[in-house]
């Protein structure tokens, strides 16, 4: 991810970003509200880009897409207690069984964001797919998959 840094972008990852406009070092889109606290977050392609106790999640601010749905960016967020740690492609029946904390409601496998094939476990490719956000809006995202889904991916 390439971002243009401005001299006003002086808030580091982890800093509170409660004022508008925000000045996060990774840009305004990296100011994310998680659990009622707005903090500057690190952009990511996958879990490997995040700290050991974090995961890469599609929870960045959503803005209207050019044709439909929304655009959002993946950012690093803290793991939820009880995270099961299953990799992309592993069978699951709940979000917390997966390292990414995303178990697809239809495929019943763990899915995780990616930017290129080498980030995915063996047998999976980094495919572009529609993803339904908790708000009900849909976005395009690249995910580690072994099939091209015909319906939007959606975490349980």
């Amino acid at each position: 991810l390439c971002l243009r840094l401005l001299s006003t972008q002086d808030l580091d990852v982890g800093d509170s970003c409660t004022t508008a406009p925000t000045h996060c070092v990774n840009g305004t889109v990296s100011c994310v509200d998680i659990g009622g606290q707005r903090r500057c977050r690190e952009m990511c392609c996958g879990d490997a880009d995040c700290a050991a106790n974090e995961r890469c999640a599609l929870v960045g601010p959503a803005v209207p897409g050019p044709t439909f749905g929304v655009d959002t960016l993946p950012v690093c967020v803290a793991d939820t207690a009880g995270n099961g740690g299953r990799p992309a492609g592993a069978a699951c029946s709940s979000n917390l069984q997966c390292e990414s904390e995303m178990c697809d409601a239809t495929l019943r496998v763990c899915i995780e964001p990616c930017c290129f094939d080498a980030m995915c476990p063996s047998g999976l490719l980094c495919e572009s797919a529609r993803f339904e956000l908790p708000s009900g809006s849909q976005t395009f995202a690249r995910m580690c998959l072994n099939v091209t889904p015909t319906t939007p991916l959606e975490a349980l």
Side-chain angles (χ1 to χ4, degrees):
L1 299 170
C2 298
L3 300 168
R4 180 182 213 176
L5 294 179
L6 305 173
S7 62
T8 58
Q9 290 174 255
D10 55 0
L11 295 177
D12 290 326
V13 171
D15 286 351
S16 175
C17 51
T18 57
T19 59
T22 61
H23 299 283
C24 296
V25 69
N26 290 319
T28 300
V29 296
S30 68
C31 180
V32 179
D33 184 339
I34 306 235
Q37 292 190 328
R38 293 183 64 78
R39 299 222 179 263
C40 296
R41 301 290 178 172
E42 185 73 46
M43 303 286 196
C44 55
C45 280
D47 290 342
D49 293 333
C50 300
N53 60 345
E54 295 180 328
R55 69 185 187 287
C56 187
L58 292 169
V59 296
V63 295
T67 54
F68 75 92
V70 299
D71 288 335
T72 188
L73 292 173
V75 294
C76 296
V77 297
D79 282 335
T80 301
N83 176 314
R86 293 181 188 177
C92 59
S93 58
S94 77
N95 290 328
L96 279 181
Q97 292 174 328
C98 304
E99 182 177 2
S100 64
E101 297 186 21
M102 290 191 297
C103 176
D104 181 61
T106 303
L107 299 174
R108 298 295 179 155
V109 296
C110 297
I111 55 174
E112 65 183 64
C114 58
C115 286
F116 47 88
D117 291 341
M119 294 182 74
C120 299
S122 180
L124 302 181
L125 298 174
C126 187
E127 299 286 341
S128 181
R130 282 185 297 153
F131 184 80
E132 188 156 326
L133 300 165
S135 65
S137 297
Q138 292 181 3
T139 189
F140 278 99
R142 294 181 63 82
M143 299 284 190
C144 293
L145 300 166
N146 66 354
V147 298
T148 302
T150 57
T151 59
L153 299 170
E154 179 181 10
L156 286 173

